[in-house]
Structures are given as C-alpha cells and as structure tokens.
Amino acid sequence: MADATTAAKARIDKALALLERRMQDLRARPASAPPIGDDDLFAPRADAGRLAELEDAGREARAALAASAEAIRAILADDAGEGGA
C-alpha cells in the first residue's frame, strides 16, 4: 500500500508543479499577446465576472490539491514512523 501511496503523492506533486508552471506562464504573458486559441478559460470574450469566478475556482482547487498533498505527506510520515518502530 505504501508504494501506491508514494505513486499517488508523486502524481499529485507533478500535477501541482505543472499547474504552477502553467499559471506562471500565463501571468508572464503581456496583455498585448495574441489570445491562446485552445484555452477557453482565457478566451478574449470572457466577461470579467465569469473570469473572476473561474480564478476563484482555480484558487480553491489549488488549495484543495495542496491540502490533499499535505494529508498524503502526513500519512506517509505516519507510515514511515510505524515501519521504523
């Protein structure tokens, strides 16, 4: 079971890293840059209210993923502590 937990933790860490890198890339884009065609979240016609809702949902999802990753880390630490005793 520890192997599955370790694999799940690695996937979550990788997903968080990819998400953070994507957000940094999007923030670094100048306002004058052409729109990203395959990204509906950042389509040029999105109204400000909907965009704010999506940004809030993204922040909530990021926080939930971070909390999940931390919970998995705590479980792994507990498992490691029990295995060493």
Side-chain angles (χ1 to χ4, degrees):
M1 180 140 131
D3 290 335
T5 306
T6 301
K9 177 193 172 299
R11 287 193 302 270
I12 289 172
D13 287 342
K14 182 178 178 182
L16 286 172
L18 289 171
L19 178 62
E20 288 174 356
R21 186 169 59 231
R22 177 73 171 136
M23 290 302 297
Q24 289 172 354
D25 290 346
L26 289 171
R27 286 182 184 153
R29 289 174 50 87
S32 61
I36 300 171
D38 64 344
D39 194 344
D40 290 340
L41 293 177
F42 299 94
R45 293 187 205 146
D47 73 82
R50 178 68 178 143
L51 188 56
E53 288 175 14
L54 292 171
E55 288 173 345
D56 287 342
R59 281 190 287 275
E60 289 175 17
R62 182 174 185 261
L65 282 171
S68 297
E70 189 58 37
I72 289 172
R73 287 184 190 102
I75 291 169
L76 290 173
D78 287 347
D79 285 349
E82 290 175 9

Coordinates of all heavy atoms in Angstrom, one line a residue:
M1 N 0.8 -1.2 0.0 CA 0.0 0.0 0.0 C 0.9 1.3 0.0 O 0.5 2.2 -0.6 CB -0.9 0.0 1.2 CG -1.8 1.2 1.3 SD -3.4 0.8 1.8 CE -3.7 2.0 3.0
A2 N 2.0 1.2 0.6 CA 2.9 2.4 0.7 C 3.4 2.7 -0.7 O 3.5 3.9 -1.0 CB 4.1 2.1 1.6
D3 N 3.6 1.7 -1.6 CA 4.0 2.0 -3.0 C 2.9 2.8 -3.7 O 3.2 3.7 -4.5 CB 4.3 0.7 -3.7 CG 5.6 0.1 -3.2 OD1 6.5 0.8 -2.6 OD2 5.8 -1.1 -3.3
A4 N 1.7 2.4 -3.5 CA 0.6 3.1 -4.2 C 0.4 4.5 -3.7 O 0.2 5.5 -4.4 CB -0.7 2.3 -4.0
T5 N 0.6 4.7 -2.4 CA 0.6 6.0 -1.8 C 1.7 6.9 -2.3 O 1.5 8.0 -2.6 CB 0.6 5.9 -0.2 OG1 -0.4 5.0 0.2 CG2 0.4 7.2 0.4
T6 N 2.9 6.3 -2.4 CA 4.0 7.0 -2.9 C 3.8 7.5 -4.3 O 4.1 8.6 -4.7 CB 5.3 6.2 -2.7 OG1 5.5 5.9 -1.4 CG2 6.5 7.0 -3.2
A7 N 3.2 6.6 -5.1 CA 3.0 6.9 -6.5 C 1.9 8.0 -6.6 O 2.0 8.9 -7.4 CB 2.5 5.6 -7.2
A8 N 0.9 7.9 -5.8 CA -0.2 8.9 -5.8 C 0.4 10.3 -5.4 O 0.1 11.3 -6.0 CB -1.3 8.5 -4.8
K9 N 1.3 10.3 -4.4 CA 1.9 11.5 -3.9 C 2.8 12.1 -5.1 O 2.7 13.3 -5.3 CB 2.8 11.3 -2.7 CG 3.5 12.5 -2.2 CD 4.6 12.1 -1.2 CE 5.5 13.3 -0.9 NZ 6.2 13.9 -2.0
A10 N 3.5 11.3 -5.8 CA 4.3 11.7 -6.9 C 3.4 12.3 -8.0 O 3.8 13.4 -8.5 CB 5.2 10.6 -7.4
R11 N 2.3 11.7 -8.3 CA 1.4 12.3 -9.3 C 0.8 13.6 -8.9 O 0.7 14.5 -9.7 CB 0.3 11.3 -9.6 CG 0.8 10.1 -10.4 CD -0.4 9.3 -11.0 NE -1.3 8.8 -10.0 CZ -1.2 7.6 -9.4 NH1 -0.2 6.8 -9.6 NH2 -2.1 7.2 -8.5
I12 N 0.4 13.7 -7.6 CA -0.1 15.0 -7.1 C 1.0 16.1 -7.2 O 0.7 17.2 -7.6 CB -0.7 14.8 -5.7 CG1 -2.0 14.0 -5.7 CG2 -0.9 16.2 -5.0 CD1 -2.5 13.6 -4.4
D13 N 2.2 15.7 -6.7 CA 3.3 16.7 -6.7 C 3.5 17.2 -8.2 O 3.8 18.4 -8.4 CB 4.5 16.2 -6.1 CG 4.4 16.1 -4.6 OD1 3.5 16.7 -4.0 OD2 5.2 15.3 -4.0
K14 N 3.5 16.2 -9.1 CA 3.8 16.6 -10.5 C 2.7 17.5 -11.1 O 2.9 18.4 -11.7 CB 3.9 15.3 -11.3 CG 4.2 15.5 -12.8 CD 4.4 14.2 -13.6 CE 4.6 14.5 -15.0 NZ 4.8 13.3 -15.8
A15 N 1.4 17.1 -10.7 CA 0.3 17.9 -11.2 C 0.3 19.3 -10.6 O 0.1 20.3 -11.4 CB -1.0 17.2 -10.8
L16 N 0.7 19.5 -9.4 CA 0.8 20.8 -8.8 C 1.9 21.6 -9.4 O 1.8 22.8 -9.7 CB 1.1 20.7 -7.3 CG -0.1 20.3 -6.4 CD1 0.3 20.0 -5.0 CD2 -1.2 21.3 -6.4
A17 N 3.0 21.0 -9.7 CA 4.2 21.7 -10.3 C 3.8 22.1 -11.7 O 4.1 23.3 -12.1 CB 5.4 20.8 -10.4
L18 N 3.1 21.3 -12.5 CA 2.6 21.6 -13.8 C 1.6 22.8 -13.8 O 1.7 23.7 -14.6 CB 2.0 20.4 -14.6 CG 3.0 19.3 -15.0 CD1 2.2 18.1 -15.5 CD2 3.9 19.9 -16.1
L19 N 0.7 22.7 -12.8 CA -0.3 23.8 -12.7 C 0.4 25.1 -12.3 O 0.1 26.1 -12.9 CB -1.3 23.4 -11.6 CG -2.4 24.4 -11.3 CD1 -3.3 24.7 -12.5 CD2 -3.2 23.9 -10.1
E20 N 1.3 25.1 -11.4 CA 2.0 26.3 -11.0 C 2.8 26.9 -12.2 O 2.8 28.1 -12.4 CB 2.9 26.0 -9.8 CG 2.1 25.8 -8.5 CD 3.0 25.5 -7.4 OE1 4.2 25.3 -7.5 OE2 2.4 25.3 -6.3
R21 N 3.5 26.0 -12.9 CA 4.3 26.5 -14.1 C 3.3 27.1 -15.1 O 3.6 28.1 -15.7 CB 5.1 25.3 -14.7 CG 6.0 25.8 -15.8 CD 7.0 24.8 -16.2 NE 6.4 23.6 -16.8 CZ 6.7 22.4 -16.4 NH1 7.6 22.2 -15.4 NH2 6.1 21.4 -16.9
R22 N 2.2 26.5 -15.4 CA 1.2 27.0 -16.4 C 0.7 28.4 -15.9 O 0.6 29.3 -16.7 CB 0.1 26.0 -16.5 CG -1.0 26.5 -17.4 CD -0.6 26.4 -18.9 NE -1.7 26.6 -19.7 CZ -1.7 27.4 -20.8 NH1 -0.6 27.9 -21.2 NH2 -2.8 27.5 -21.5
M23 N 0.4 28.5 -14.6 CA -0.1 29.8 -14.1 C 1.0 30.9 -14.3 O 0.7 32.0 -14.7 CB -0.5 29.7 -12.7 CG -1.8 28.9 -12.5 SD -3.2 29.6 -13.4 CE -3.4 31.2 -12.6
Q24 N 2.3 30.5 -14.0 CA 3.4 31.5 -14.2 C 3.5 31.9 -15.6 O 3.7 33.1 -15.9 CB 4.7 30.9 -13.6 CG 4.7 30.8 -12.1 CD 5.9 30.0 -11.6 OE1 6.7 29.5 -12.4 NE2 6.1 30.0 -10.3
D25 N 3.4 30.9 -16.5 CA 3.5 31.2 -17.9 C 2.4 32.2 -18.4 O 2.6 33.1 -19.1 CB 3.4 29.9 -18.8 CG 4.6 29.1 -18.6 OD1 5.7 29.5 -18.1 OD2 4.6 27.9 -19.1
L26 N 1.2 31.9 -17.9 CA 0.1 32.8 -18.3 C 0.2 34.2 -17.7 O -0.1 35.2 -18.3 CB -1.3 32.2 -17.8 CG -1.7 30.9 -18.6 CD1 -2.9 30.2 -18.0 CD2 -2.0 31.3 -20.1
R27 N 0.7 34.3 -16.5 CA 0.9 35.6 -15.8 C 2.0 36.4 -16.5 O 2.0 37.6 -16.5 CB 1.2 35.4 -14.3 CG 0.0 35.0 -13.5 CD 0.4 34.9 -12.1 NE -0.7 34.5 -11.3 CZ -0.6 33.8 -10.2 NH1 0.6 33.6 -9.7 NH2 -1.7 33.4 -9.5
A28 N 3.0 35.7 -17.1 CA 4.1 36.3 -17.7 C 3.7 36.9 -19.1 O 4.5 37.7 -19.6 CB 5.3 35.4 -17.8
R29 N 2.6 36.4 -19.6 CA 2.2 36.9 -21.0 C 1.8 38.4 -20.9 O 1.1 38.8 -20.1 CB 1.0 36.1 -21.5 CG 1.4 34.7 -21.9 CD 0.1 33.9 -22.2 NE -0.7 34.5 -23.2 CZ -0.6 34.4 -24.5 NH1 0.3 33.7 -25.0 NH2 -1.4 35.1 -25.3
P30 N 2.3 39.1 -21.9 CA 1.9 40.5 -21.9 C 0.4 40.6 -22.4 O -0.1 39.7 -23.1 CB 2.8 41.2 -23.0 CG 3.3 40.0 -23.8 CD 3.3 38.8 -22.9
A31 N -0.2 41.7 -22.0 CA -1.6 41.9 -22.3 C -1.8 42.0 -23.8 O -2.9 41.6 -24.3 CB -2.1 43.2 -21.6
S32 N -0.8 42.4 -24.5 CA -0.9 42.6 -26.0 C -0.7 41.3 -26.7 O -0.8 41.2 -27.9 CB 0.1 43.6 -26.5 OG 1.4 43.2 -26.2
A33 N -0.3 40.2 -26.0 CA -0.1 38.9 -26.7 C -1.4 38.4 -27.3 O -2.5 38.7 -26.8 CB 0.4 37.9 -25.6
P34 N -1.2 37.7 -28.4 CA -2.5 37.1 -29.0 C -3.1 36.1 -28.1 O -2.4 35.5 -27.3 CB -1.9 36.4 -30.3 CG -0.5 36.2 -30.1 CD 0.0 37.3 -29.1
P35 N -4.4 36.0 -28.2 CA -5.1 35.0 -27.3 C -4.7 33.6 -27.5 O -4.2 33.2 -28.6 CB -6.6 35.2 -27.6 CG -6.6 35.8 -29.0 CD -5.3 36.6 -29.1
I36 N -4.8 32.8 -26.5 CA -4.5 31.4 -26.6 C -5.7 30.7 -27.2 O -6.7 30.6 -26.5 CB -4.1 30.8 -25.3 CG1 -2.8 31.5 -24.7 CG2 -3.8 29.3 -25.3 CD1 -2.5 31.2 -23.3
G37 N -5.6 30.1 -28.3 CA -6.8 29.5 -29.0 C -7.4 28.3 -28.4 O -8.6 28.1 -28.4
D38 N -6.6 27.5 -27.7 CA -7.1 26.3 -27.2 C -7.4 26.3 -25.7 O -7.6 25.3 -25.0 CB -6.1 25.1 -27.4 CG -4.8 25.3 -26.7 OD1 -4.5 26.4 -26.3 OD2 -4.0 24.3 -26.6
D39 N -7.5 27.5 -25.1 CA -7.7 27.7 -23.7 C -9.0 28.5 -23.4 O -8.9 29.7 -23.5 CB -6.5 28.4 -23.1 CG -6.5 28.3 -21.6 OD1 -7.5 28.0 -21.0 OD2 -5.4 28.5 -21.0
D40 N -10.1 27.8 -23.2 CA -11.4 28.5 -23.0 C -11.4 29.4 -21.8 O -12.1 30.4 -21.7 CB -12.5 27.5 -22.9 CG -12.8 26.9 -24.2 OD1 -12.4 27.4 -25.3 OD2 -13.4 25.8 -24.2
L41 N -10.6 29.1 -20.8 CA -10.6 29.9 -19.5 C -10.1 31.3 -19.8 O -10.4 32.2 -19.1 CB -9.7 29.2 -18.5 CG -10.2 27.9 -17.9 CD1 -9.2 27.3 -16.9 CD2 -11.6 28.1 -17.3
F42 N -9.2 31.4 -20.8 CA -8.6 32.7 -21.1 C -9.0 33.3 -22.4 O -8.3 34.0 -23.0 CB -7.1 32.6 -20.9 CG -6.7 32.2 -19.5 CD1 -6.5 30.9 -19.2 CD2 -6.6 33.2 -18.5 CE1 -6.1 30.5 -17.9 CE2 -6.3 32.8 -17.2 CZ -6.0 31.4 -16.9
A43 N -10.2 32.9 -22.9 CA -10.7 33.4 -24.2 C -10.9 34.9 -24.1 O -11.3 35.4 -23.0 CB -12.0 32.7 -24.5
P44 N -10.6 35.6 -25.2 CA -10.7 37.0 -25.1 C -12.1 37.6 -24.8 O -12.3 38.7 -24.4 CB -10.2 37.5 -26.5 CG -10.4 36.3 -27.4 CD -10.2 35.1 -26.5
R45 N -13.2 36.8 -25.1 CA -14.5 37.3 -24.9 C -15.1 37.0 -23.5 O -16.3 37.3 -23.3 CB -15.4 36.7 -26.0 CG -15.1 37.2 -27.4 CD -16.1 36.7 -28.4 NE -15.4 36.7 -29.7 CZ -15.7 35.8 -30.6 NH1 -16.6 34.9 -30.4 NH2 -15.1 35.8 -31.7
A46 N -14.4 36.4 -22.7 CA -14.9 36.1 -21.3 C -15.2 37.4 -20.6 O -14.4 38.3 -20.6 CB -13.9 35.3 -20.5
D47 N -16.4 37.5 -20.0 CA -16.8 38.7 -19.2 C -16.0 38.7 -17.9 O -15.6 37.6 -17.4 CB -18.3 38.8 -19.0 CG -18.8 37.8 -18.0 OD1 -18.7 38.1 -16.8 OD2 -19.4 36.8 -18.4
A48 N -15.8 39.8 -17.3 CA -15.0 40.0 -16.1 C -15.5 39.2 -15.0 O -14.8 38.6 -14.2 CB -14.9 41.4 -15.8
G49 N -16.8 39.1 -14.8 CA -17.4 38.4 -13.7 C -17.2 36.9 -13.8 O -16.8 36.3 -12.8
R50 N -17.3 36.4 -15.0 CA -17.1 34.9 -15.2 C -15.6 34.6 -15.0 O -15.3 33.6 -14.4 CB -17.5 34.5 -16.6 CG -17.3 33.1 -16.9 CD -18.2 32.2 -16.1 NE -17.9 30.8 -16.5 CZ -17.9 29.8 -15.6 NH1 -18.2 29.9 -14.4 NH2 -17.7 28.6 -16.1
L51 N -14.8 35.5 -15.5 CA -13.3 35.3 -15.3 C -12.9 35.3 -13.8 O -12.2 34.5 -13.4 CB -12.5 36.3 -16.1 CG -11.0 36.2 -16.2 CD1 -10.7 34.8 -16.8 CD2 -10.4 37.3 -17.0
A52 N -13.5 36.2 -13.1 CA -13.3 36.2 -11.6 C -13.7 35.0 -10.9 O -13.0 34.4 -10.1 CB -13.9 37.5 -11.0
E53 N -14.9 34.4 -11.4 CA -15.4 33.2 -10.8 C -14.4 32.0 -11.1 O -14.1 31.2 -10.2 CB -16.8 32.9 -11.4 CG -17.9 33.7 -10.9 CD -19.2 33.4 -11.6 OE1 -19.3 32.4 -12.3 OE2 -20.1 34.2 -11.5
L54 N -13.9 32.0 -12.3 CA -13.0 30.9 -12.7 C -11.7 31.0 -12.0 O -11.1 30.0 -11.6 CB -12.8 31.0 -14.2 CG -14.0 30.6 -15.1 CD1 -13.7 30.9 -16.6 CD2 -14.3 29.1 -14.9
E55 N -11.2 32.3 -11.8 CA -10.0 32.4 -11.0 C -10.2 32.0 -9.5 O -9.3 31.4 -9.0 CB -9.5 33.9 -11.1 CG -9.0 34.3 -12.4 CD -8.7 35.8 -12.6 OE1 -9.1 36.6 -11.7 OE2 -8.0 36.1 -13.5
D56 N -11.3 32.3 -9.0 CA -11.6 31.9 -7.6 C -11.7 30.4 -7.5 O -11.1 29.8 -6.6 CB -13.0 32.5 -7.1 CG -12.9 34.0 -6.8 OD1 -11.7 34.5 -6.7 OD2 -13.9 34.6 -6.8
A57 N -12.3 29.8 -8.5 CA -12.4 28.3 -8.5 C -11.0 27.7 -8.7 O -10.7 26.7 -8.0 CB -13.3 27.9 -9.7
G58 N -10.2 28.3 -9.5 CA -8.8 27.8 -9.6 C -8.0 27.9 -8.3 O -7.3 27.0 -8.0
R59 N -8.2 29.0 -7.6 CA -7.5 29.2 -6.3 C -8.0 28.1 -5.3 O -7.3 27.5 -4.5 CB -7.7 30.6 -5.8 CG -6.8 31.6 -6.4 CD -6.8 32.9 -5.7 NE -8.1 33.6 -6.0 CZ -8.3 34.4 -7.0 NH1 -7.3 34.6 -7.9 NH2 -9.4 35.0 -7.2
E60 N -9.3 27.9 -5.3 CA -9.9 26.9 -4.4 C -9.4 25.5 -4.7 O -9.1 24.7 -3.8 CB -11.4 26.9 -4.5 CG -12.1 28.2 -3.8 CD -13.6 28.2 -4.0 OE1 -14.2 27.2 -4.4 OE2 -14.1 29.3 -3.8
A61 N -9.3 25.2 -6.0 CA -8.8 23.9 -6.5 C -7.4 23.7 -6.1 O -7.0 22.6 -5.6 CB -9.0 23.7 -8.0
R62 N -6.6 24.7 -6.2 CA -5.2 24.7 -5.9 C -5.0 24.4 -4.4 O -4.2 23.6 -3.9 CB -4.5 26.0 -6.3 CG -3.0 25.9 -6.0 CD -2.3 27.2 -6.5 NE -0.9 27.1 -6.3 CZ -0.3 27.7 -5.3 NH1 -0.9 28.4 -4.5 NH2 1.1 27.6 -5.2
A63 N -5.9 25.1 -3.6 CA -5.8 25.0 -2.1 C -6.2 23.5 -1.7 O -5.6 22.9 -0.9 CB -6.7 26.0 -1.4
A64 N -7.2 23.0 -2.4 CA -7.7 21.7 -2.1 C -6.6 20.6 -2.5 O -6.4 19.7 -1.7 CB -9.0 21.4 -2.9
L65 N -6.0 20.8 -3.6 CA -4.9 19.9 -4.0 C -3.7 20.0 -3.0 O -3.1 19.0 -2.7 CB -4.4 20.3 -5.4 CG -5.3 19.8 -6.6 CD1 -4.8 20.3 -7.9 CD2 -5.3 18.2 -6.6
A66 N -3.4 21.2 -2.6 CA -2.3 21.4 -1.7 C -2.6 20.7 -0.3 O -1.8 20.0 0.3 CB -2.0 22.9 -1.4
A67 N -3.9 20.8 0.1 CA -4.3 20.2 1.4 C -4.3 18.7 1.2 O -3.8 18.0 2.1 CB -5.7 20.6 1.7
S68 N -4.7 18.2 0.0 CA -4.6 16.7 -0.2 C -3.2 16.2 -0.2 O -2.9 15.2 0.4 CB -5.3 16.4 -1.6 OG -6.6 16.7 -1.6
A69 N -2.3 17.0 -0.9 CA -0.9 16.6 -0.9 C -0.3 16.6 0.5 O 0.4 15.7 0.9 CB -0.1 17.5 -1.8
E70 N -0.7 17.5 1.3 CA -0.2 17.6 2.7 C -0.7 16.4 3.5 O 0.0 15.8 4.3 CB -0.6 18.9 3.4 CG 0.1 19.2 4.7 CD 1.6 19.1 4.7 OE1 2.2 19.6 3.7 OE2 2.2 18.6 5.6
A71 N -2.0 16.1 3.3 CA -2.6 14.9 4.0 C -1.8 13.6 3.6 O -1.6 12.8 4.5 CB -4.1 14.8 3.7
I72 N -1.5 13.5 2.4 CA -0.8 12.3 1.9 C 0.6 12.3 2.5 O 1.1 11.3 3.0 CB -0.7 12.3 0.4 CG1 -2.1 11.9 -0.2 CG2 0.3 11.2 -0.1 CD1 -2.3 12.1 -1.7
R73 N 1.3 13.5 2.6 CA 2.6 13.5 3.2 C 2.5 13.1 4.7 O 3.4 12.4 5.2 CB 3.2 14.9 3.1 CG 3.6 15.3 1.7 CD 4.3 16.6 1.6 NE 4.4 17.0 0.2 CZ 3.7 17.9 -0.4 NH1 2.7 18.5 0.2 NH2 3.9 18.2 -1.7
A74 N 1.4 13.6 5.4 CA 1.3 13.2 6.8 C 1.1 11.7 6.9 O 1.6 11.1 7.8 CB 0.1 14.0 7.4
I75 N 0.3 11.1 6.0 CA 0.1 9.7 6.1 C 1.4 8.9 5.8 O 1.7 8.0 6.5 CB -1.0 9.2 5.1 CG1 -2.4 9.8 5.5 CG2 -1.1 7.7 4.9 CD1 -3.5 9.7 4.5
L76 N 2.1 9.4 4.8 CA 3.4 8.8 4.6 C 4.4 8.9 5.7 O 5.1 7.9 6.1 CB 4.0 9.4 3.3 CG 3.4 9.1 2.0 CD1 4.0 9.9 0.9 CD2 3.5 7.6 1.7
A77 N 4.3 10.0 6.4 CA 5.2 10.2 7.6 C 4.8 9.3 8.7 O 5.6 8.7 9.4 CB 5.2 11.7 8.0
D78 N 3.5 9.1 8.9 CA 3.0 8.2 9.9 C 3.3 6.8 9.6 O 3.7 6.0 10.4 CB 1.4 8.3 10.0 CG 1.0 9.6 10.7 OD1 1.8 10.3 11.3 OD2 -0.2 9.9 10.6
D79 N 3.2 6.4 8.3 CA 3.5 5.0 7.9 C 5.0 4.8 8.1 O 5.4 3.7 8.5 CB 3.2 4.8 6.4 CG 1.7 4.6 6.2 OD1 1.0 4.5 7.2 OD2 1.3 4.7 5.0
A80 N 5.9 5.8 7.8 CA 7.3 5.6 7.9 C 7.7 5.5 9.4 O 8.5 4.7 9.8 CB 8.0 6.8 7.3
G81 N 7.0 6.2 10.3 CA 7.2 6.2 11.7 C 6.8 4.8 12.3 O 7.5 4.3 13.1
E82 N 5.7 4.3 11.8 CA 5.3 3.0 12.3 C 6.2 1.9 11.8 O 6.4 0.9 12.5 CB 3.8 2.7 11.9 CG 2.8 3.6 12.5 CD 1.4 3.4 12.0 OE1 1.2 2.5 11.2 OE2 0.5 4.2 12.3
G83 N 6.7 2.0 10.6 CA 7.5 1.0 10.0 C 8.9 0.9 10.7 O 9.5 -0.1 10.7
G84 N 9.3 2.1 11.2 CA 10.6 2.1 11.8 C 10.7 1.7 13.2 O 11.7 1.4 13.8
A85 N 9.5 1.5 13.8 CA 9.4 1.1 15.2 C 9.5 -0.3 15.4 O 9.3 -1.1 14.6 CB 8.1 1.7 15.8

